[in-house]
Amino acid sequence: MKNIKDTFGSMVFNDAVMQERLPRSTYKALKTCLASDTPLDIDTANVVANAMKDWAIEKGATHFTHWFQPMTGVTAEKHDSFIAPSGDGTVITEFKGKELIKGEPDASSFPSGGLRATFEARGYTAWDPSSYAFIKDDTLYIPTAFCSYGGQALDKKTPLLRSIQALSRQALRILRLLGNNADNIITTVGPEQEYFLIDRELYLKRRDLVITGKTLFGARPPKGQEMDDHYFGAIKTRVHEYMRDLDEELWKLGIQAKTEHNEVAPAQHETAPIFTGANIAADHNQLTMDMMKRLARKHGLVCLLHEKPFAGINGSGKHNNWSMSTNTGVNLLEPGKTPAENAQFLLFLCAVIAAVDDYQELLRISVASAGNDHRLGANEAPPAVISMFLGDELTEILESIERESSYSGRKKALFEVGVHYLPAFAKDSTDRNRTSPFAFTGNKFEFRMPGSSMSVSGPNTVLNTIVAEELCRFADVLECSDDIPGTMTTLIKNSISAHKRIIFNGNNYSEEWRAEAKRRGLSDLPSTPDALAHFLDRKNVDLFTKHMIYTKEEMQSRLEILSESYCKTINIEALTMSDMARKQIIPAAGDYASALGKTYKAVSLCPGAPCRRISDTLVKLGVLLDKMYEQTDALDSAAAGIKACADSASMSRYCRDSVIPAMNKLRITADMLEMIVGEKYWPFPTYSDLLFGV
Ligand code: ADP
Ligand code: MG
């Protein structure tokens, strides 16, 4: 690799490139439009487009694409070349402002949840100038938002952008009252991405992995993660080379890949970038996932992003580190050193606490998927109950504010909102609580429930919006007050009293917590259908429509898409399981039974040779084989029932209550067979092969 400085951002049309390549007036016009949210005029767009094209062609690009994030969860693109006829049989290269600003992909094949009939195929992609264009695969990529002819969002970016603005709007109302002149508030996000790497040859032999991204069968290996010898362990050469390669490719795209380490489970790893604005972080995370999969292939590996590729082994999540910051980089969740800042910090902190408590269901919904259901609550990931970890120190401070008593833990200097001097938190001084779904980690919150394969746009759209709403409620009160410090104290105190039930610093994996959470009246939504049932609750519709994040129709369409995707996933898993059972496992077990039958015959020819255990094993095989047939039939009929459901809500409940249990039963039998059947008869690689095969 060339040196990092030359590599970093070399494929990005970033601010430095713009300053160098755009005429000063164009550069200024672009900046002004970005700062004020006004659309770009066509003349400026033409100049920008042309400069982008020249730059891209110099870097070897031949095509451009509008890059967008439909509701499939992966990104979409359609490539056009830069060529245009010159009239004399030759071509020139061309890229016009209108091609930069707007695209019209045929959108009928993307999920719209009923927003758009298939005959009305038109969808629009609109340039998002707040996320830099970049070059990948000889193509200039232009980040865009994707919406319907009628302006309804069909993607994950549009609502995220709306929510960033909503939060900024409300936060600024408060900051103004406190004499802060920030122009804009951004939400910052640093997603930690977990993943598995397995050998590609072995992967290709597992139909379940190829089709569904996870194993549907597999007995427990003799060694799993119980030795705890993988976490932060030495990185194997092949994996190390992959990680280096990944860093280099990400750096070229301006992604600040920073941390890499082995995770808890064998073959599990993590990569994390340095945080950035939520919109860019979401774009970068999509690019990162894409690059992770593609580069794995080059190294003879496969990168599994599924939330639960292996039963009994930790699944993968995406820890979403989140905070709010002024455009000049002042973190609003930094406890700070001065009293006035502390009061402001406490108010913003209380807004987050109130938001998480008031909108628990929405946070749960934002991470709901068939894959993530296997992870949440599975004694390795946060439970499906939402609570917040603040650490002892901060909790004590909040408690003392509520009691109006002095906080004695630290220095005693009273400040204007009636609390004692708040210590400046060293970033790592808060205790680690790995079991909390939503933990304060010094100067940011870490939302740990998102699944590894998900776009972070959904969870951040919810987070931004719910915090915007609480800030709005605070601002409404503060704007009518003639005693801002006094009113702030009251707001902080009341928020703590009203929402302290959401704070829990103990072990979230324990059974006692579930019972305690119930006593506290916290919502417990273990499955995706449970969670989705709340999406259209009145308060959620009011929230999203008030802040103009989604219209009611957009919400309905999203609910439809989420339910459908849940059912489709389970249907595909069921069909794959049945196929593997019938065509691979049953025949393999049969072959082994025949071989054992031969052994039995041979041994029984020897007078006095004991054959009991052999015949016992044959009987066991017979019983399990028969069960396999029976349970595969049962699974087939359960899967066939999916189509008969009247609507998507009942369909998803049916999948959860009838199809998943049938899959679980079949798996138990197959895994028992795997423990008996001879290795050379077993039709695909085992957990040991997959987890320790790299
Ligand atoms: P951990 O020990 O949990 O891995 P790190 O300190 O390494 O924590 O940070 C994890 C992620 O949090 C990184 O992506 C980091 O850039 C991000 N992060 C740090 N500060 C902020 C912030 N203010 N807003 C959002 N993300 C942040
Ligand atoms: Mg972390």
Side-chain angles (χ1 to χ4, degrees):
M1 184 180 41
K2 287 191 288 186
N3 71 50
I4 298 185
K5 274 183 89 176
D6 290 344
T7 305
F8 191 84
S10 57
M11 290 303 188
V12 186
F13 195 75
N14 56 23
D15 202 64
V17 180
M18 285 186 223
Q19 288 196 46
E20 185 194 316
R21 299 216 166 216
L22 295 177
R24 245 195 108 56
S25 57
T26 311
Y27 174 77
K28 268 177 110 175
L30 185 58
K31 285 270 148 185
T32 316
C33 124
L34 264 177
S36 60
D37 278 335
T38 46
L40 204 62
D41 68 275
I42 190 69
D43 295 332
T44 310
N46 276 328
V47 180
V48 176
N50 196 52
M52 268 188 190
K53 179 207 73 181
D54 289 345
W55 169 82
I57 288 176
E58 278 170 37
K59 297 257 177 202
T62 51
H63 289 69
F64 70 91
T65 181
H66 275 203
W67 181 65
F68 56 103
Q69 301 171 20
M71 294 298 297
T72 52
V74 290
T75 56
E77 51 199 70
K78 176 183 145 237
H79 297 200
D80 281 299
S81 73
F82 286 125
I83 64 167
S86 66
D88 63 0
T90 62
V91 291
I92 53 165
T93 60
E94 191 176 74
F95 184 43
K96 294 193 181 130
K98 67 172 200 254
E99 293 171 300
L100 167 64
I101 296 178
K102 197 172 101 181
E104 284 186 41
D106 176 342
S108 56
S109 302
F110 294 107
S112 78
L115 269 187
R116 202 177 11 73
T118 30
F119 62 83
E120 206 217 68
R122 236 176 327 166
Y124 288 108
T125 50
W127 180 34
D128 167 18
S130 64
S131 182
Y132 298 136
F134 56 90
I135 296 171
K136 199 173 75 133
D137 302 328
D138 300 332
T139 301
L140 173 68
Y141 278 70
I142 297 145
T144 59
F146 178 47
C147 55
S148 74
Y149 184 69
Q152 289 137 323
L154 295 174
D155 68 349
K156 297 190 177 239
K157 185 191 268 279
T158 308
L160 177 65
L161 291 172
R162 291 173 183 163
S163 74
I164 295 168
Q165 282 179 12
L167 186 130
S168 178
R169 213 178 294 131
Q170 303 305 332
L172 285 177
R173 284 175 67 196
I174 293 184
L175 290 178
R176 294 266 178 280
L177 293 170
L178 301 181
N180 184 318
N181 291 323
D183 297 327
N184 191 18
I185 300 302
I186 58 163
T187 46
T188 50
V189 169
E192 300 165 53
Q193 175 74 49
E194 290 179 337
Y195 61 101
F196 280 85
L197 279 182
I198 60 170
D199 185 85
R200 187 170 162 78
E201 294 288 312
L202 298 174
Y203 162 88
L204 290 172
K205 293 186 181 140
R206 297 269 323 205
R207 211 168 282 175
D208 45 5
L209 281 174
V210 173
I211 296 176
T212 70
K214 64 173 288 207
T215 56
L216 297 166
F217 297 103
R220 250 188 101 76
K223 180 183 173 196
Q225 62 192 52
E226 56 279 85
M227 304 292 282
D228 287 330
D229 53 357
H230 190 256
Y231 190 55
F232 281 19
I235 298 172
K236 290 179 184 158
T237 314
R238 199 161 154 209
V239 174
H240 178 82
E241 283 166 4
Y242 166 79
M243 287 176 170
R244 283 296 148 270
D245 227 12
L246 178 63
D247 278 347
E248 184 175 346
E249 290 307 318
L250 295 179
W251 288 341
K252 282 186 199 162
L253 295 172
I255 299 171
Q256 302 179 32
K258 175 85 176 162
T259 312
E260 258 119 26
H261 61 79
N262 285 352
E263 260 300 330
V264 175
Q268 195 185 28
H269 312 279
E270 180 185 300
T271 175
I274 296 173
F275 72 94
T276 150
N279 177 32
I280 304 212
D283 281 1
H284 281 180
N285 184 248
Q286 291 293 337
L287 274 175
T288 301
M289 290 195 288
D290 181 54
M291 200 53 89
M292 287 167 81
K293 288 199 215 147
R294 289 199 307 149
L295 283 181
R297 204 181 168 131
K298 197 175 128 193
H299 291 263
L301 298 164
V302 170
C303 171
L304 301 178
L305 290 173
H306 194 282
E307 281 74 20
K308 192 73 179 172
F310 304 99
I313 302 283
N314 273 11
S316 301
K318 180 140 46 192
H319 293 173
N320 189 78
N321 294 275
W322 177 95
S323 189
M324 301 164 267
S325 149
T326 65
N327 53 325
T328 49
V330 178
N331 182 354
L332 298 175
L333 290 178
E334 180 68 58
K337 284 185 182 143
T338 60
E341 272 173 28
N342 285 350
Q344 179 186 304
F345 159 75
L346 287 172
L347 194 70
F348 279 91
L349 179 75
C350 283
V352 183
I353 295 172
V356 174
D357 186 31
D358 280 338
Y359 296 101
Q360 296 161 45
E361 295 85 2
L362 273 186
L363 283 170
R364 171 65 184 94
I365 291 164
S366 79
V367 298
S369 75
N372 213 21
D373 277 5
H374 296 290
R375 193 181 146 253
L376 299 176
N379 249 16
E380 52 164 270
V385 182
I386 311 260
S387 70
M388 296 172 92
F389 169 84
L390 295 180
D392 294 339
E393 210 167 14
L394 202 47
T395 307
E396 278 166 28
I397 291 169
L398 296 183
E399 280 168 357
S400 67
I401 296 174
E402 195 202 356
R403 287 194 311 265
E404 293 187 35
S405 63
S406 60
Y407 171 66
S408 53
R410 301 271 150 163
K411 286 183 200 165
K412 292 185 186 167
L414 215 58
F415 78 90
E416 56 195 81
V417 289
V419 274
H420 289 269
Y421 181 82
L422 195 61
F425 282 69
K427 196 160 170 256
D428 291 321
S429 79
T430 42
D431 333 348
R432 297 256 151 183
N433 181 333
R434 291 273 162 210
T435 69
S436 175
F438 204 96
F440 185 69
T441 46
N443 59 1
K444 62 184 190 290
F445 276 100
E446 186 171 338
F447 184 30
R448 303 212 179 100
M449 291 170 91
S452 48
S453 70
M454 283 176 179
S455 157
V456 292
S457 297
N460 286 306
T461 300
V462 167
L463 255 171
N464 295 342
T465 311
I466 61 180
V467 175
E469 169 59 18
E470 304 295 344
L471 291 172
C472 173
R473 292 181 197 174
F474 288 169
D476 288 347
V477 177
L478 285 168
E479 281 169 357
C480 301
S481 158
D482 42 23
D483 170 21
I484 299 280
T487 311
M488 275 173 87
T489 310
T490 314
L491 284 174
I492 291 169
K493 201 169 152 275
N494 292 349
S495 304
I496 298 164
S497 306
H499 301 291
K500 63 181 174 196
R501 64 170 186 165
I502 198 75
I503 298 165
F504 177 64
N505 293 327
N507 178 8
N508 284 256
Y509 296 173
S510 69
E511 263 315 304
E512 296 83 61
W513 166 236
R514 237 179 130 176
E516 165 69 14
K518 201 169 175 176
R519 272 194 298 280
R520 293 190 190 186
L522 301 180
S523 85
D524 184 3
L525 304 168
S527 73
T528 294
D530 294 325
L532 294 184
H534 288 280
F535 190 50
L536 294 177
D537 283 358
R538 177 74 192 274
K539 70 172 187 185
N540 296 335
V541 176
D542 287 350
L543 171 86
F544 283 128
T545 50
K546 171 178 171 184
H547 293 280
M548 293 179 293
I549 311 299
Y550 297 120
T551 60
K552 181 143 191 221
E553 292 70 43
E554 286 173 335
M555 287 185 75
Q556 278 160 337
S557 78
R558 262 150 225 261
L559 177 61
E560 199 58 30
I561 292 169
L562 289 169
S563 311
E564 255 182 34
S565 139
Y566 175 82
C567 299
K568 280 183 190 160
T569 304
I570 290 168
N571 187 37
I572 293 170
E573 287 177 2
L575 298 180
T576 308
M577 244 187 145
S578 159
D579 185 62
M580 288 172 79
R582 278 190 209 288
K583 301 206 181 117
Q584 297 187 298
I585 300 176
I586 291 176
D591 286 352
Y592 181 63
S594 311
L596 202 60
K598 270 193 206 143
T599 309
Y600 179 80
K601 253 195 197 154
V603 175
S604 59
L605 284 177
C606 315
C611 305
R612 260 286 300 288
R613 300 289 187 277
I614 304 176
S615 67
D616 282 356
T617 308
L618 271 167
V619 171
K620 225 192 251 174
L621 276 169
V623 170
L624 290 173
L625 256 172
D626 196 54
K627 250 191 179 172
M628 282 295 291
Y629 277 113
E630 181 200 325
Q631 291 171 338
T632 309
D633 286 347
L635 176 59
D636 284 346
S637 36
I642 297 179
K643 285 196 195 78
C645 299
D647 54 55
S648 59
S650 56
M651 194 184 275
S652 56
R653 282 195 303 273
Y654 175 82
C655 284
R656 178 193 62 192
D657 300 334
S658 300
V659 185
I660 292 181
M663 295 205 297
N664 291 344
K665 279 191 193 143
L666 179 60
R667 175 173 187 147
I668 291 172
T669 310
D671 291 357
M672 283 165 76
L673 268 175
E674 187 190 323
M675 306 287 273
I676 323 179
V677 170
E679 189 176 298
K680 72 170 187 189
Y681 295 88
W682 199 247
F684 38 72
T686 63
Y687 269 27
S688 290
D689 301 330
L690 294 169
L691 291 166
F692 299 98
V694 173

